[in-house]
Amino acid sequence: MLHTVNKSPLERNTLESCLRLAAKGSAILLIEDGVYGALAAGQAAKEIGKRKADLKFYALGPDLAARGLSESPLVDGIEIVDYEGFVDLAAEYEAHQAWL
Amino acid sequence: MKFGILVNEGPFTHQASDSAYQFAKAAIAKGHEVMRVFFYHDGVNNANKLAEPPTDDRNLVKLWSELAAEHNVDLVVCVAAALRRGIKDDVLAPGFRISGLGQLIEAGIVGDRLVTFGD
Amino acid sequence: MEEDDFNPEVVKRFMFVNRKAPYGTVYALESLETVLISAAFDQDVSVVFADDGVFQLKKGQDTPGINMKNFSPTFRALDGYDVEKLYVEKESLEARGLTEDDLLVDVEVLSSKELSKIMAAQDVVISN
């Protein structure tokens, strides 16, 4: 399963719920305001770190750039993808779940 | 691969429709088929041809119409959600059509993937 | 393969995920409309209530004071549409001080762990 999270973890519990319910072997792509969750200095970094062994984490580059975060340190292991990379992930995983 | 896309928000308040459009464009660029984009909830507002964003801003209504014309994408607006919000045939931008929620379920059955954008 | 399936070639697992409370936004109501329509397609349908979505099933909803339609009785009618898999996440219930007795329809209460396994096995997930 490819999960997308589009909310800042400081505003909503979306990322927290996704991390609770994403099964081992799935991927989480942070998009839109969800990219704030990718910041190494952010509060969500610890929770992401706890699941790094069994989930893959990605953040959408154009959304990071739009928010002035291109140069900001991200949580270790988060890979940056563009929209084509998003498409590749959606094709690679058998289903998509949007956490809204 | 055959993609269906669900858009749950209108073109202005949330980024959802922008993200969905960028995803659809990238999927087509990669040689995939976007068989249908289904607009639900406030997403039906993406079909309103009366929308007039400032000229220096992107016009998603127009962008969706162009995508439909160039790549044969089926743009379906949910009838129940549309009627509630005053979206009727006479305000539909080119390429959009109004139909039932069954079109969303069908996209899930016929397509290889259903990708959802909302808020 | 079940022989009485309307279209036995294509039966997919559809999961509707409800994470939003009713009335404050329209998502809960319009999501329920999608579930009802999906029933006509003879797919393998399940409905999940997690996070504030569990409030959709709270007993005793009384809406005339806000001039909105109380759609909660429709959840009890889902059974008649052969939508029988209603899953509620235990952790979400507990976090809101609710128990199964507070819910207006029979559901299966699952832990996050159990629910995550069922989610991972879906073909199509529709969230609002």
Side-chain angles (χ1 to χ4, degrees):
Chain A
M1 184 83 70
L2 170 67
H3 301 270
T4 51
V5 171
N6 73 340
K7 297 294 186 308
S8 161
L10 294 166
E11 194 202 357
R12 307 274 189 97
N13 67 353
T14 314
L15 176 61
E16 184 191 323
S17 297
C18 177
L19 288 170
R20 192 174 69 238
L21 286 164
K24 189 177 173 174
S26 26
I28 297 181
L29 168 62
L30 305 172
I31 68 169
E32 302 173 4
D33 287 351
V35 298
Y36 292 116
L39 297 174
Q43 287 177 17
K46 219 170 100 188
E47 295 309 310
I48 290 176
K50 281 186 198 161
R51 298 232 40 201
K52 254 177 10 195
D54 54 335
L55 299 173
K56 283 190 174 171
F57 288 91
Y58 302 88
L60 196 63
D63 278 325
L64 284 167
R67 289 160 178 79
L69 304 176
S70 279
E71 307 296 321
S72 307
L74 304 186
V75 178
D76 230 15
I78 293 189
E79 193 181 317
I80 298 175
V81 296
D82 58 10
Y83 285 103
E84 294 204 355
F86 184 174
V87 171
D88 289 339
L89 289 170
E92 180 185 342
Y93 291 87
E94 281 174 12
H96 169 247
Q97 180 166 3
W99 294 80
L100 304 171
Chain B
M1 194 160 268
K2 233 185 225 188
F3 282 100
I5 294 175
L6 169 62
V7 179
N8 286 338
E9 297 296 339
F12 306 114
T13 310
H14 301 280
Q15 200 186 337
S17 180
D18 283 285
S19 297
Y21 174 76
Q22 298 296 340
F23 180 91
K25 234 177 49 169
I28 291 165
K30 297 218 69 168
H32 297 293
E33 179 193 347
V34 176
M35 58 165 294
R36 179 171 297 151
V37 184
F38 190 86
F39 297 90
Y40 196 39
H41 304 294
D42 280 358
V44 300
N45 291 317
N46 284 284
N48 188 350
K49 72 175 178 193
L50 301 178
E52 278 184 54
T55 49
D56 61 348
D57 198 0
R58 83 264 187 250
N59 184 337
L60 272 167
V61 177
K62 215 168 136 237
L63 289 171
W64 282 120
S65 286
E66 287 166 5
L67 194 76
E70 285 163 28
H71 302 285
N72 203 23
V73 180
D74 189 20
L75 305 178
V76 181
V77 177
C78 168
V79 60
L83 287 180
R84 277 192 182 116
R85 293 162 177 86
I87 303 293
K88 299 185 178 180
D89 280 327
D90 48 354
V91 302
L92 278 191
F96 287 89
R97 64 186 179 96
I98 294 179
S99 189
L101 272 168
Q103 299 282 300
L104 168 63
I105 307 300
E106 194 199 76
I109 296 170
V110 177
D112 298 305
R113 298 287 185 275
L114 182 73
V115 183
T116 300
F117 296 88
D119 201 81
Chain C
M1 278 281 144
E2 292 168 56
E3 296 198 8
D4 57 353
D5 278 340
F6 173 65
N7 182 354
E9 299 139 60
V10 189
V11 175
K12 286 193 173 179
R13 281 161 295 195
F14 273 72
M15 177 176 272
F16 295 89
V17 180
N18 292 300
R19 294 183 48 249
K20 291 176 180 169
Y23 309 116
T25 57
V26 78
Y27 299 107
L29 168 63
E30 289 191 329
S31 166
L32 182 56
E33 291 176 355
T34 319
V35 173
L36 292 172
I37 296 291
S38 75
F41 285 79
D42 293 318
Q43 304 294 302
D44 181 359
V45 172
S46 60
V47 188
V48 167
F49 301 87
D51 292 321
D52 281 352
V54 301
F55 286 131
Q56 294 180 26
L57 302 180
K58 174 78 179 62
K59 270 181 193 163
Q61 296 177 33
D62 181 30
T63 58
I66 58 169
N67 199 26
M68 286 167 81
K69 192 171 122 187
N70 177 4
F71 58 90
S72 65
T74 310
F75 290 113
R76 284 199 291 257
L78 285 177
D79 196 40
Y81 287 83
D82 290 328
V83 177
E84 289 153 353
K85 295 177 187 166
L86 305 183
Y87 303 127
V88 171
E89 191 204 12
K90 187 165 162 273
E91 285 76 355
S92 296
L93 271 185
E94 284 172 356
R96 286 156 186 81
L98 298 175
T99 68
E100 208 172 335
D101 290 340
D102 294 306
L103 307 182
L104 51 78
V105 67
D106 283 337
V107 298
E108 201 173 331
V109 177
L110 300 172
S111 70
S112 310
K113 214 171 196 164
E114 293 166 319
L115 184 56
S116 76
K117 276 187 200 145
I118 298 174
M119 272 182 172
Q122 300 301 313
D123 298 307
V124 179
V125 180
I126 296 180
S127 39
N128 298 271

